Amino acid sequence: MVTLQVERVSKLYGSFVALKEIELELGRGVYGLLGPNGAGKTTLMRILTDLLIPSRGRVLCNGRDIHAMGADYRDLLGYLPQDFGVYPNFTAEGFLCYIARLKGLDRETARRKTAELLDLVRLSDRRKRRLGGFSGGERQRVGIAQALLNDPQILILDEPTAGLDPQERIRFRGVLNQLGRDRLVLLSTHILSDVESAADQVILLRRGEIIGRDSPDALLRQLEGKVWSVPVTPQEQAELAVRCPCSNVSRLNGVTYMRLLSDAPPTVRARSVTANLEDLYLWYFGQTTP
Ligand SMILES: Nc1ncnc2c1ncn2[C@@H]1O[C@H](COP(=O)(O)OP(=O)(O)OP(=O)(O)O)[C@@H](O)[C@H]1O
Ligand SMILES: [Mg+2]
């Protein structure tokens, strides 16, 4: 079983600090990396793939510096970049076979893995079609498949569910759960329900710093007694919007309800409700949800 250890990693772009002294230990399981746009998720993931060299600090895999490991490390690694580009003239099958060969698989294994993974991402029926004509979600699924070709022990997926329809996203969560049983999976996402159901651990990144890390349940427990559903008149709505962070506004039978974060009940009619990850996101990252 592999472990990754991030030791005081910082990344600077000029004088801009994109990552600040990140300390992290990752083992088996699914880790969800959450943070607003520009928080440093992609930067951290690129450093973990050894595509980007940290300005300070280092990353160890089972105690060895990943940069010094070179090809040995890449053999353990599968990576889906955020901006996964494809060769439009390749067919899905041709592309996966090509990448498999680049990863050092022999012809027979490349064919077998390609067929297996096309099936996993449900593109077997489109295997002979050119990637240039694929939809965004189909392309993304080819990206997921190519990351798995070498049966990697470490899987790093930068927004893997971006562009997937709800049905495919739900299917992908099942795949993630399976993959996380015997390997290290790190994924970033802005879709909070992905994390809620698929991640064993959530890592919260804000402005280049880790500000929280725990299981989704443990993180949500911190919000017990702090989330309220409040029926409001238009005037109360305007007043409360200024006073408390609001994670949702809904209407039911002609009544408007605000979902508010507050240590004490915001009004006498407030009802305590169970926190969800959207509340948590608001709690950690302020009022803007992506
Ligand atoms: N090559 C670069 N040169 C200068 N600044 C960069 C470079 N790459 C990233 N940055 C900056 O570093 C910060 C972190 O970027 P990063 O791509 O890691 O964010 P992210 O968390 O992945 O965001 P998103 O959710 O939008 O994908 C951003 O402010 C970005 O503008
Ligand atoms: Mg990113």
Side-chain angles (χ1 to χ4, degrees), residues 13-14 16-18 35-44 82 158-159 190 205:
Y13 294 110
F16 177 76
V17 184
N37 292 136
K41 301 179 297 296
T42 296
T43 303
L44 178 60
Q82 184 169 7
D158 202 347
E159 299 196 26
H190 291 293
L205 195 64

Side-chain angles (χ1 to χ4, degrees), residues 185-199:
V185 183
L186 175 67
L187 72 138
S188 68
T189 181
H190 291 293
I191 299 164
L192 299 175
S193 50
D194 287 348
V195 167
E196 195 149 29
S197 46

Side-chain angles (χ1 to χ4, degrees), residues 20-192:
K20 192 175 168 195
E21 302 202 345
I22 301 287
E23 294 272 0
L24 202 55
E25 218 180 284
L26 307 173
R28 190 203 346 242
V30 180
Y31 299 85
L33 188 56
L34 278 188
N37 292 136
K41 301 179 297 296
T42 296
T43 303
L44 178 60
M45 290 179 131
R46 285 173 55 83
I47 286 174
L48 293 178
T49 58
D50 192 36
L51 284 168
L52 192 66
I53 308 294
S55 310
R56 282 196 288 276
R58 58 183 190 158
V59 181
L60 305 177
C61 175
N62 293 347
R64 292 171 67 198
D65 189 316
I66 60 167
H67 192 59
M69 284 175 75
D72 283 353
Y73 184 62
R74 271 178 284 285
D75 284 348
L76 296 173
L77 191 70
Y79 175 48
L80 172 70
Q82 184 169 7
D83 51 357
F84 174 68
V86 290
Y87 302 75
N89 291 323
F90 269 105
T91 63
E93 188 177 58
F95 174 73
L96 289 176
C97 270
Y98 172 69
I99 299 292
R101 298 286 283 152
L102 284 184
K103 290 192 178 190
L105 275 64
D106 64 55
R107 200 174 293 275
E108 180 47 37
T109 315
R111 276 215 193 100
R112 184 172 51 77
K113 286 302 286 184
T114 294
E116 196 181 300
L117 289 168
L118 280 169
D119 194 43
L120 183 82
V121 297
R122 293 212 294 189
L123 287 173
S124 297
D125 57 334
R126 275 151 278 184
R127 67 185 184 280
K128 301 281 185 208
R129 279 181 32 200
R130 287 184 198 282
L131 296 176
F134 272 38
S135 74
E138 288 168 346
R139 246 176 260 173
Q140 188 73 347
R141 277 145 64 193
V142 174
I144 291 167
Q146 64 77 35
L148 291 169
L149 278 167
N150 56 340
D151 207 6
Q153 282 295 298
I154 300 171
L155 191 56
I156 296 183
L157 305 168
D158 202 347
E159 299 196 26
T161 55
L164 298 193
D165 66 38
Q167 201 183 351
E168 287 302 328
R169 267 211 327 264
I170 290 162
R171 250 183 67 80
F172 180 68
R173 285 179 205 158
V175 173
L176 274 181
N177 276 322
Q178 272 183 355
L179 290 169
R181 281 191 202 137
D182 54 358
R183 68 193 85 208
L184 189 168
V185 183
L186 175 67
L187 72 138
S188 68
T189 181
H190 291 293
I191 299 164
L192 299 175

